[in-house]
Amino acid sequence: MVDRGAEGQDTQTALGLASAALALARRFAAGAVMWCVAPQWPSHGRHVAVEFVHPVIVGKRALPAVHLEGNDLAGSLRLLSRPGDVLLAVSSGADRCVVDLLRRSEAWGLTRLWLGAGVPPAVDLAEHVVWHRASEAAYSGDLVLLYHLLWELTHVVFEHPGLLDLRPPAPEGVCLTCSDEGRVAEIRAVRGDGTADVVMGGVGETLDISLVAVAPGDLVLAHAGVALTTLEGPET
Amino acid sequence: MTGDPTDFLYPFIEAGEEDASLLVADLVASAGAKIADSRALRVATLERCRDDVESAGRAMAQRLRSGGRVLCFGNGGSATDAEAMVALFQDPPGGRPVAALSLVADTTVLTALANDIGFDVVFSRQIMAYGHPEDIVVGFSTSGDSINVLRALEEGARRDLLTVGLCGYDGGAMAGSEAVRHCLVVRSDSVHRIQEAQAALVRELWSTVQRCMDEGINE
């Protein structure tokens, strides 16, 4: 059985892939590495990485994409990634490990692409989300199609060098508590004076943590130099 | 791109280009067309291969019921397609789990064989080591010409394993090989579209195996 696609879904998919490919090509042009994770379907994570590293079309440039797997993806990615890199997650909407990684990646200063199948995610945790709603998509070829197209479109963008330097504005989150702008920060070290060293948007900063109880590795939502609330980890 | 005789077809390809909206419109159109192509190829492939999938699935179910396992392999993207097949058979979203093993998963074995003998034997040597007559070997090669995949299918046939091959284009050497009992060909010359249609074929094969094992109609 081949999913015929819901009315309008293909257009949404095409639009999502086009904007993701433009952003991805710009990040690659700026020197980014694309880190690929797919904890539920590691074969999809490996497949998307090999597409970029060893293109099937002779003459297309090799682009730096690396698939990561293991029991501590956050630990690996924290060490390996650099601000400005890209995280590509392939998963269902309910994958808690991926949700946690996407949240942390905001603090680490990564651009996030999320390709998935089945019930779409309830929360918007990536700059680019492209979804196939059929739960069978992971097995029917539809999910493979999404990342094949991401690769194909990214290489089309490379044929337009004048458009590779233009950077989109950095996205801003919204504080859950005050509905004002807030940003995700990852706690690096807690000091004794009610402050903590954190990383936020890939940059080291100091936050007032008097309103929250936190430990290194926790995620908080910060606004105006103050950690306002903690964000759930993968185990909760 | 300067001086290319096809430049006139792409007036917007220039280094001084600053407005991305034309490019984005072009990307959207291209993606839309390829989504339609992919779907049409999958529908046509499943239709054309329906009888072959049915007989392959039935034969696989018979082997599995007598204790066989599914051994899958391929190179590069086809290696990941082989792994996806193992995952689907072993840990399905519904239905019964089936014994399946990826011959691309163990980098120790792969690098040992490749280094000491050659890459042509990385799958066939594993079949010599692990293969039982009840087992099923499933080889993926979009060209149909990957030597190590062909050698493994030949080794499987020599040992009376059931051999299944998935390939593209015109089927290459795989389609002409007497060692391949069930050969499923995706008639396309795009590696990407072939792999997408192979995923659909594998899903259909899985569903046929599940049905035959449940119904016991595989005699």
Side-chain angles (χ1 to χ4, degrees), chain B residues 53-128:
Chain B
V53 168
E54 179 67 25
S55 64
R58 206 170 277 251
M60 287 174 72
Q62 190 165 5
R63 298 279 180 134
L64 290 164
R65 279 157 59 101
S66 34
R69 303 158 303 176
V70 188
L71 313 177
C72 302
F73 45 89
N75 298 288
S78 295
T80 69
D81 295 341
E83 291 183 295
M85 177 166 178
V86 168
L88 176 60
F89 275 67
Q90 195 150 255
D91 185 18
R96 69 172 80 191
V98 163
L101 193 62
S102 161
L103 302 192
V104 299
D106 191 330
T107 51
T108 307
V109 170
L110 289 178
T111 53
L113 290 168
N115 185 57
D116 294 344
I117 306 171
F119 211 70
D120 292 353
V121 305
V122 293
F123 305 132
S124 57
R125 283 270 171 158
Q126 293 188 70
I127 288 164
M128 288 167 74

Side-chain angles (χ1 to χ4, degrees), chain B residues 15 20 23-24 27 32 35 41 43 46 52 58 61 66 69 73 79 113 140 193 197 199:
Chain B
L23 170 61
V24 170
L27 297 177
I35 290 169
L41 179 65
V43 169
L46 292 183
D52 291 338
R58 206 170 277 251
S66 34
R69 303 158 303 176
F73 45 89
L113 290 168
F140 290 76
R193 300 296 88 81

Side-chain angles (χ1 to χ4, degrees), chain A:
Chain A
M1 239 174 40
V2 175
D3 182 67
R4 306 253 161 198
E7 189 74 26
Q9 179 172 301
D10 290 352
T11 310
Q12 278 306 111
T13 303
L15 281 165
L17 287 169
S19 100
L22 183 59
L24 178 57
R26 286 172 168 169
R27 294 314 316 151
F28 276 135
V33 171
M34 180 168 76
W35 303 97
C36 308
V37 298
Q40 292 164 285
W41 308 307
S43 67
H44 285 308
R46 276 194 278 273
H47 197 155
V48 66
V50 78
E51 291 293 340
F52 283 86
V53 171
H54 180 54
V56 292
I57 297 175
V58 177
K60 295 291 182 193
R61 73 176 80 185
L63 291 167
V66 181
H67 173 249
L68 292 178
E69 59 190 305
N71 294 327
D72 184 14
L73 285 175
S76 301
L77 198 57
R78 185 185 291 115
L79 290 169
L80 288 166
S81 68
R82 295 183 176 146
D85 280 353
V86 175
L87 172 64
L88 172 65
V90 183
S91 76
S92 73
D95 187 325
R96 291 188 171 187
C97 170
V98 162
V99 165
D100 177 65
L101 271 180
L102 289 166
R103 283 208 172 107
R104 289 180 192 281
S105 295
E106 181 184 346
W108 299 336
L110 309 187
T111 297
R112 300 159 299 171
L113 273 56
W114 198 2
L115 304 185
V119 179
V123 277
D124 191 9
L125 291 174
E127 286 76 18
H128 301 275
V129 179
V130 186
W131 221 260
H132 199 291
R133 285 167 183 266
S135 58
E136 299 273 297
Y139 309 102
S140 62
D142 285 304
L143 191 55
V144 184
L145 171 62
L146 291 188
Y147 53 76
H148 278 163
L149 290 177
L150 181 68
W151 178 84
E152 291 177 30
L153 299 185
T154 300
H155 279 276
V156 175
V157 178
F158 271 107
E159 293 165 9
H160 300 257
L163 297 176
L164 287 172
D165 287 336
L166 306 177
R167 312 281 165 75
E172 298 284 352
V174 173
C175 170
L176 297 174
T177 309
C178 62
S179 297
D180 201 352
E181 284 179 0
R183 297 172 70 197
V184 174
E186 186 181 66
I187 307 289
R188 287 287 157 90
V190 176
R191 295 182 184 171
D193 61 354
T195 68
D197 296 330
V198 305
V199 62
M200 196 155 67
V203 178
E205 292 189 31
T206 302
L207 281 185
D208 178 340
I209 55 164
S210 52
L211 298 175
V212 293
V214 291
D218 285 354
L219 293 178
V220 295
L221 205 59
H223 179 61
V226 179
L228 296 169
T229 178
T230 55
L231 294 171
E232 290 175 4
E235 71 287 344
T236 53

